[in-house]
Amino acid sequence: MFILAFSLGLIGSLHCVGMCGPIALLLPLQRQRKVFRWIQLGAYFLGKTLAYTLMGLLFGIVGEGLFIAEYQQEFSILAGLVMIGMGLFSLLHISLKGLQNPLLKGFALLKSALGRQLTKKTLSSSLFIGFLNGFLPCGLVYTALFGALAMGNLWDSMGYMTAFGLGTIPLMLLLVVLGDFLPVGLRRQLNQWLPMVVIVVGILFVLRGLGLGIPYLSPADTHLLLHPKGDC
């Protein structure tokens, strides 16, 4: 599942180029000090990955509190169905505006803080920009969080989101180094495939929950491992 999370981040970073790319291109980097510039970039991506890891921690705590580990396969199916639904909504251009508007308003302070940090060229500001960037509204991140919640384990949830964060780095790094290297038309075409990626990930989660006995893809039922016959 960690490989799946990394792959989701890697493929989904095509979406990040369009959504987070402008922020990455606006990073206040030290152009004259090349070594320090790379350190700043590392701090930015570290902050972004730390944000995802923290979200994984929070969702892992929720998962353990809901005893999802005892019903991991059932919840894996549920999470997969939610992902499939999100992908279909995106493909059909269905927008839940009633839910989105209050959420977006709640991020006004976050965007304001991000804007203030973009005026600074310190190492701490690069770290903070990445950290705040990780919390900006993003359907792809929400998809990953459903996967993290389905892990049913605190450490696995954190590892899942960390792997997702690491997967978003390669393409975003190329964007910062090479500039806006993808034409707008090509980027739009690639973004059209992202809902399909989300749907495929959802299908994999459903298969995982079904416990069909397929190694790695759909392991056999794990309930007996959680509740051995010898337990009283």
Side-chain angles (χ1 to χ4, degrees):
M1 279 297 167
F2 295 151
I3 296 175
L4 178 61
F6 182 86
S7 301
L8 177 63
L10 182 62
I11 299 173
S13 58
L14 293 169
H15 174 73
C16 294
V17 167
M19 298 299 292
C20 301
I23 296 176
L25 289 172
L26 288 174
L27 282 175
L29 301 175
Q30 294 279 2
R31 303 294 176 182
Q32 290 77 23
R33 301 166 60 187
K34 292 184 179 180
V35 174
F36 188 72
R37 179 190 179 193
W38 282 105
I39 296 174
Q40 283 181 295
L41 283 173
Y44 168 76
F45 288 116
L46 174 62
K48 202 160 180 275
T49 304
L50 284 175
Y52 294 142
T53 303
L54 178 58
M55 285 188 272
L57 170 65
L58 296 175
F59 273 70
I61 292 173
V62 172
E64 288 194 347
L66 295 175
F67 303 104
I68 287 176
E70 297 183 19
Y71 306 97
Q72 191 174 22
Q73 289 185 269
E74 290 85 350
F75 194 84
S76 182
I77 294 174
L78 177 61
L81 291 175
V82 170
M83 291 179 191
I84 292 171
M86 291 173 66
L88 289 174
F89 270 48
S90 183
L91 278 177
L92 299 175
H93 304 289
I94 300 174
S95 177
L96 300 177
K97 294 183 179 179
L99 293 177
Q100 289 179 348
N101 291 339
L103 182 63
L104 292 177
K105 290 178 181 178
F107 283 97
L109 293 176
L110 175 63
K111 291 181 179 179
S112 177
L114 185 59
R116 288 194 299 271
Q117 293 299 320
L118 285 170
T119 63
K120 305 175 183 179
K121 291 188 176 183
T122 64
L123 190 59
S124 60
S125 66
S126 297
L127 180 68
F128 203 44
I129 289 169
F131 188 75
L132 292 175
N133 194 173
F135 287 99
L136 290 177
C138 176
L140 187 68
V141 175
Y142 302 153
T143 300
L145 286 173
F146 273 107
L149 188 59
M151 295 293 99
N153 175 279
L154 176 63
W155 297 107
D156 286 348
S157 296
M158 291 176 63
Y160 188 93
M161 288 305 295
T162 301
F164 169 78
L166 292 175
T168 65
I169 292 177
L171 192 56
M172 288 296 294
L173 182 59
L174 280 176
L175 171 66
V176 176
V177 173
L178 301 180
D180 199 0
F181 64 96
L182 285 180
V184 175
L186 177 59
R187 217 182 308 155
R188 287 175 179 172
Q189 291 179 4
L190 292 173
N191 280 335
Q192 292 176 357
W193 286 94
L194 288 178
M196 297 300 299
V197 175
V198 173
I199 291 172
V200 169
V201 172
I203 291 172
L204 290 174
F205 266 86
V206 171
L207 289 174
R208 175 175 174 260
L210 291 174
L212 301 177
I214 305 173
Y216 303 108
L217 180 63
S218 183
D221 185 76
T222 59
H223 289 136
L224 291 178
L225 297 177
L226 293 171
H227 304 288
K229 293 181 179 180
D231 286 356
C232 297

